[in-house]
Amino acid sequence: MSEPFALPEGVSAILTRLRDSGFPAFPAGGCVRDSLLGRRVHDWDVATAALPEQVTALFRRTAATGLKHGTVTVLLGRLAVEVTTFRTEGGYTDGRRPDSVTFVPRLEADLARRDFTVNAMALGPDGQVIDPFGGRDDLRRRIIRCVGDPAARFGEDALRLWRAVRFSAMLGFGIEAATWDAMSACAPLTARLAPERVSAELERILLSGAAARLADVLPLGLLDPLLTAHPTFRLPLETLKTLPRKPETRWAGLAALLRRAGCLADSLAFLRALRLPNRVTYPAGMGAEWALAQPLPGEPVGWRRLCADRGVPEALCAAAAGDALAGGPPRYVPALREVLRPGPCLSVKQLALTGEHLALVGLAGPQIGRAQRRLLEHVLRRPEDNTLDALLSLLETIDSKNR
Ligand code: ATP
Ligand code: MG
């Protein structure tokens, strides 16, 4: 039954090479899960008995992406496949990452260290599914269930709580009862997680199209370490579904929602706590603050002015935050995009008439800056006037009125 598994040629070639060299090798994890579900597979991860140095020796182009954890990336044409040695994990003294990994000779031990049954399957050489923990049954029942004792598994690595939420949102699955109970008991452990790991999962939940599933897990307190506790906190979860897909604007929307929910000192603090890059934090945080502080523009000129004053990224974030706060189908972001589509002049630098032109017509010193600001103000109102001719004649009116 190799039918449902359409392995890319390169992946088959890698498997054949490893197997012909005497190393058992199997596609494993998410690729098997997604194939069985008929979902697009984005990464074919291979698990093998070969040690990293043996993998490196077998292929011409490799990258040592995670040698310590047994992962070598094999590059074939434009394909990059992560090949990871069968391994088990040592203790998790900090609850964040394994103290050590141990390479093992058998696939079953490797599958046993994986988080959920649906993620703990591999594909044998004849296309048979190797499924020691009932992953296929759980796919049929549409549930996320831990491999082994859930409390112990969450105790080892608290990120698995977030991963359970992520897979449940991504796949539209429920969470099995014992797994859920253990999540409830283990939720405080998530406080020790590195914010970057949490934000990567959160981001994927927000992208899943089922972000409102966060509603189900908020009572567990998973977000608490990121939020200031607030008894009246109510995240308008339905509106999470309307968050835009682009990261910056999505974060702005989320920040605004959380702020509106009354649980954050300020939305910038939330974004910083997630250790997002400044490139995201600043416009997203400021955009969210802006959308909360004043009404957003109703007219194109207002948007152009906002872009001129605060920059396009921040204006986009303000629009996204406004949409998130309003709920329902987005209207601010589309309006702003429409305004930006013709590439309007939004700064003095984009004026068709430069400082040099102004000097040529006899302006000097602070007069130049003043004239440029007036011209920009005009062009924000009437973008079609951003031509040399129009601005020169405009200059004469400004000139005669006020130097
Ligand atoms: P996606 O399609 O979202 O990438 P995935 O199943 O490939 O899903 P990854 O995070 O890429 O998820 O991890 C690959 C595999 O490694 C998982 O399917 C799972 O078997 C295992 N895994 C990853 N992280 C953990 C973890 N924290 N604990 C246990 N197993 C894990
Ligand atoms: Mg993956």
Side-chain angles (χ1 to χ4, degrees):
M1 55 158 280
S2 51
E3 203 55 87
F5 300 101
L7 267 63
E9 243 172 70
V11 176
S12 300
I14 291 170
L15 290 167
T16 305
R17 188 77 210 260
L18 285 160
R19 288 169 183 161
D20 287 353
S21 311
F23 301 113
F26 307 86
C31 57
V32 182
R33 177 198 67 222
D34 287 343
S35 297
L36 287 168
L37 287 172
R39 289 166 56 92
R40 198 179 68 79
V41 173
H42 56 85
D43 290 315
W44 287 88
D45 297 330
V46 169
T48 181
L51 295 170
E53 54 274 22
Q54 293 171 317
V55 176
T56 308
L58 277 179
F59 297 96
R60 206 156 53 86
R61 287 171 59 225
T62 60
T65 32
L67 274 192
K68 258 201 338 222
H69 295 102
T71 303
V72 174
T73 302
V74 175
L75 305 153
L76 267 190
R78 290 166 61 198
L79 190 75
V81 176
E82 289 202 344
V83 178
T84 305
T85 307
F86 300 149
R87 61 187 172 96
T88 56
E89 290 164 358
Y92 281 72
T93 37
D94 63 356
R96 286 166 71 143
R97 63 184 86 80
D99 302 332
S100 63
V101 303
T102 309
F103 299 140
V104 292
R106 291 183 53 77
L107 170 70
E108 283 66 21
D110 181 88
L111 293 179
R113 58 104 188 153
R114 293 172 186 258
D115 45 9
F116 306 113
T117 58
V118 295
N119 288 349
M121 292 182 276
L123 199 57
D126 307 322
Q128 79 277 27
V129 179
I130 302 163
D131 176 21
F133 304 104
R136 264 175 310 184
D137 279 347
D138 289 343
L139 284 183
R140 265 179 234 118
R141 293 157 62 200
R142 302 176 66 79
I143 53 167
I144 301 299
R145 180 164 65 90
C146 280
V147 170
D149 172 39
R153 305 311 309 282
F154 291 130
E156 286 166 3
D157 179 7
L159 191 72
R160 290 173 188 154
L161 281 96
W162 274 110
R163 288 175 57 86
V165 179
R166 195 242 291 177
F167 287 114
S168 144
M170 225 170 69
L171 304 173
F173 281 20
I175 295 176
E176 179 261 346
T179 299
W180 175 264
D181 290 345
M183 285 171 75
S184 185
C186 297
L189 299 178
T190 56
R192 284 191 290 171
L193 289 167
E196 296 85 339
R197 294 181 83 200
V198 174
S199 79
E201 295 300 328
L202 241 185
E203 175 140 24
R204 298 192 64 177
I205 295 167
L206 291 168
L207 271 176
S208 71
R213 284 208 170 225
L214 279 174
D216 305 339
V217 298
L218 273 174
L220 293 176
L222 293 191
L223 276 169
D224 286 359
L226 297 169
L227 305 174
T228 313
H230 194 287
T232 58
F233 171 49
R234 291 279 178 283
L235 188 55
L237 288 152
E238 274 305 300
T239 63
L240 284 175
K241 287 185 198 152
T242 66
L243 291 179
R245 294 189 78 82
K246 207 169 173 293
E248 282 85 345
T249 45
R250 192 169 60 244
W251 286 116
L254 185 67
L257 286 177
L258 292 170
R259 178 114 148 67
R260 169 57 62 82
C263 56
L264 283 178
D266 82 349
S267 43
L268 267 174
F270 167 75
L271 298 165
R272 290 217 178 91
L274 289 174
R275 312 255 172 94
L276 294 170
N278 281 339
R279 168 181 65 71
V280 175
T281 305
Y282 186 79
M286 297 310 284
E289 295 290 346
W290 180 271
L292 281 155
Q294 49 241 298
L296 288 167
E299 298 291 329
V301 55
W303 285 114
R304 286 192 291 269
R305 210 168 269 139
L306 183 59
C307 291
D309 289 347
R310 320 278 305 203
V312 172
E314 202 177 307
L316 262 171
C317 287
D323 282 332
L325 289 170
R331 74 193 152 103
Y332 293 122
V333 170
L336 175 54
R337 290 212 186 283
E338 188 55 31
V339 165
L340 293 175
R341 204 169 41 84
C345 167
L346 299 169
S347 70
V348 160
K349 277 198 216 119
Q350 294 170 301
L351 284 171
L353 186 139
T354 65
E356 278 159 32
H357 289 124
L358 291 166
L360 281 174
V361 299
L363 299 192
Q367 288 173 330
I368 293 184
R370 252 195 323 266
Q372 283 175 319
R373 280 192 297 279
R374 284 167 161 262
L375 292 175
L376 176 62
E377 178 50 38
H378 175 89
V379 166
L380 290 174
R381 268 183 280 119
R382 302 182 52 131
E384 66 278 13
D385 283 355
N386 191 26
T387 63
L388 189 55
D389 277 355
L391 294 184
L392 278 171
S393 42
L394 198 69
L395 193 61
E396 282 167 22
T397 16
I398 293 176
D399 232 19
S400 58
K401 273 201 254 160
N402 170 16
R403 269 240 161 171

